[in-house]
Amino acid sequence: MRVLAAMSGGVDSAVAAARAVDEGHDVVGVHLALSRAGGTLRAGSRGCCTIEDAMDARRASDLLGIPFYVWDFSERFRDDVIEDFVSEYQAGRTPNPCMRCNEKIKFAALLERAIELGFDAVCTGHYAKLVDEGRGLELHRASDAAKDQSYVLGVLTAEQLRYTYFPLGSTPSKAIVRAEAQERGLTVANKPDSHDICFIPDGDTRGWLADRVGAEAGEVLDRNGDVVGTHEGAHAFTVGQRRGLKLGVPASDGKPRFVLEVRPVSNTVVVGPKEALATAEISGARFSWAGRAPAESEFRCHVQIRAHSEPVPALAQWQDGTVTVTPDMPFDGVAPGQTAVLYDGTRVVGQFTVAKTVSAVPVNA
């Protein structure tokens, strides 16, 4: 195949590209420039797509003997990921920028250009498997459960899966990938994994948002609507948050309170006891199927609501353009804007963005 290897500058994408070369494919490396700040530097394991990452990707490509290019996707990244992140917070939702990046950049913009240029597949260092056993192409969890990234790939459609290639999916552990990189002489063998939000490398999401959306003071309410404190900007809060609430009225039982809801229209934040975070039902209309759609409008599955949370057995219903999920045991603190990924065993069935949640605990309970 003619393979376009997305080279982030990390060890996973470098080894993935190397394996593609070993398998005899015609490989070209590409690094995505996602920031207009060309001199951006990396801070340890924080941030990605920096000038240092681009240099690491070039060195890896040179060692592998493959052509290398840098493509400027910064404008598309700003519009589809960064601006989406800001607008979601302004609407009182909790977005996942990694999901949007995979959906809009790595497996949309990049894939579109790759196909236009005649490539057969885009290769990445994601830990996930593609399986075809006669029922059509399926996306499955990786062999290494600790590194599995099928959750953040849940946004991929059947058409996009046709052009993807994940050489690391069957690797038993990340340690093997690092050892392989060392043996190959790749300088990124011991490079730290990136984490947090790549476009907020200092990790100060609250300050970053305040600079862009402003900070307007408002009230903090309990579940009965009584004022128990004030805040300096509702965008700084997310469902499940405990720290930084600065409440002036203690709870009657003396227990800590958590953010239960963010209401951007009234600029208020609702807090309550931990047990009130229990969520009995979630639903959303922004959904897609990773491969074939479910055969029935109602089906059993497991649902994962965060990248590293445990999947929960549930009943899913798909009708009238909406997916509704009722878990066998309540979810813990689901926020509108989060992504729910549905699994059948190790197979990713699909995903939807949570638009509505139903508490398992009545207000007056």
Side-chain angles (χ1 to χ4, degrees):
M1 295 190 299
R2 290 196 68 215
V3 173
L4 185 68
M7 309 282 286
S8 68
V11 63
D12 294 326
S13 61
V15 171
R19 291 185 180 182
V21 171
D22 287 351
E23 291 175 10
H25 301 304
D26 177 10
V27 182
V28 174
V30 62
H31 180 78
L32 303 185
L34 302 180
S35 172
R36 287 297 174 92
T40 301
L41 299 178
R42 186 182 179 92
S45 60
R46 290 186 181 274
C48 70
C49 315
T50 66
I51 189 171
E52 290 148 305
D53 292 318
M55 293 168 63
D56 285 338
R58 179 176 292 279
R59 280 191 287 267
S61 297
D62 289 345
L63 181 66
L64 298 175
I66 62 175
F68 176 78
Y69 300 92
V70 176
W71 288 355
D72 183 2
F73 278 21
S74 58
E75 185 172 337
R76 183 81 177 258
F77 185 76
R78 181 199 64 203
D79 293 344
D80 290 342
V81 179
I82 298 178
E83 293 303 324
D84 175 80
F85 182 80
V86 173
S87 63
E88 286 292 280
Y89 262 103
Q90 286 179 306
R93 295 186 287 266
T94 302
N96 186 321
C98 293
M99 303 291 284
R100 295 289 81 77
C101 186
N102 282 335
E103 178 186 16
K104 300 292 187 179
I105 305 299
K106 294 176 182 174
F107 297 96
L110 175 62
L111 191 56
E112 288 167 9
R113 185 176 295 185
I115 293 172
E116 288 174 358
L117 294 173
F119 287 94
D120 300 303
V122 168
C123 163
T124 73
H126 286 99
Y127 288 79
K129 291 180 183 179
L130 290 174
V131 177
D132 191 345
E133 296 179 341
R135 299 185 298 270
L137 200 59
E138 298 175 347
L139 176 65
H140 283 253
R141 291 190 185 277
S143 295
D144 183 359
K147 294 299 296 180
D148 174 58
Q149 292 175 296
S150 60
Y151 173 85
V152 295
L153 296 171
V155 291
L156 301 189
T157 64
E159 181 66 16
Q160 290 170 328
L161 290 176
R162 289 179 52 209
Y163 296 96
T164 57
Y165 176 30
F166 303 129
L168 305 187
S170 297
T171 306
S173 74
K174 177 66 173 274
I176 292 175
V177 173
R178 289 197 181 278
E180 182 178 333
Q182 193 76 51
E183 292 173 4
R184 293 177 180 274
L186 293 165
T187 59
V188 293
N190 296 310
K191 186 174 181 178
D193 292 337
S194 60
H195 62 80
D196 294 326
I197 301 171
C198 68
F199 51 86
I200 311 178
D202 64 0
D204 182 13
T205 303
R206 178 179 296 191
W208 188 91
L209 283 168
D211 289 341
R212 286 156 180 80
V213 304
E216 181 182 353
E219 296 176 333
V220 179
L221 311 176
D222 64 16
R223 299 186 84 197
N224 296 314
D226 296 326
V227 178
V228 295
T230 60
H231 65 76
E232 296 178 354
H235 65 270
F237 298 87
T238 188
V239 171
Q241 180 178 334
R242 174 186 174 184
R243 299 186 182 279
L245 301 184
K246 300 178 181 178
L247 303 179
V249 180
S252 58
D253 58 7
K255 294 181 179 179
R257 284 177 288 198
F258 297 76
V259 174
L260 304 179
E261 187 180 353
V262 178
R263 299 173 178 171
V265 175
S266 60
N267 193 33
T268 54
V269 175
V270 180
V271 298
K274 182 175 177 58
E275 53 267 26
L277 287 170
T279 304
E281 182 182 285
I282 58 176
S283 61
R286 183 178 173 179
F287 65 88
S288 63
W289 306 121
R292 67 185 185 279
E296 305 292 337
S297 61
E298 183 174 293
F299 56 95
R300 296 289 303 175
C301 61
H302 279 73
V303 181
Q304 192 169 326
I305 57 172
R306 296 180 183 85
H308 302 293
S309 65
E310 288 294 321
V312 175
L315 178 68
Q317 294 175 301
W318 169 38
Q319 57 186 9
D320 300 326
T322 298
V323 178
T324 300
V325 168
T326 305
D328 291 0
M329 58 194 87
F331 294 117
D332 183 19
V334 184
Q338 285 183 241
T339 301
V341 177
L342 283 55
Y343 289 84
D344 178 10
T346 63
R347 180 174 75 90
V348 176
V349 177
Q351 62 80 39
F352 66 92
T353 301
V354 177
K356 181 181 178 181
T357 66
V358 176
S359 176
V361 180
V363 173
N364 296 318

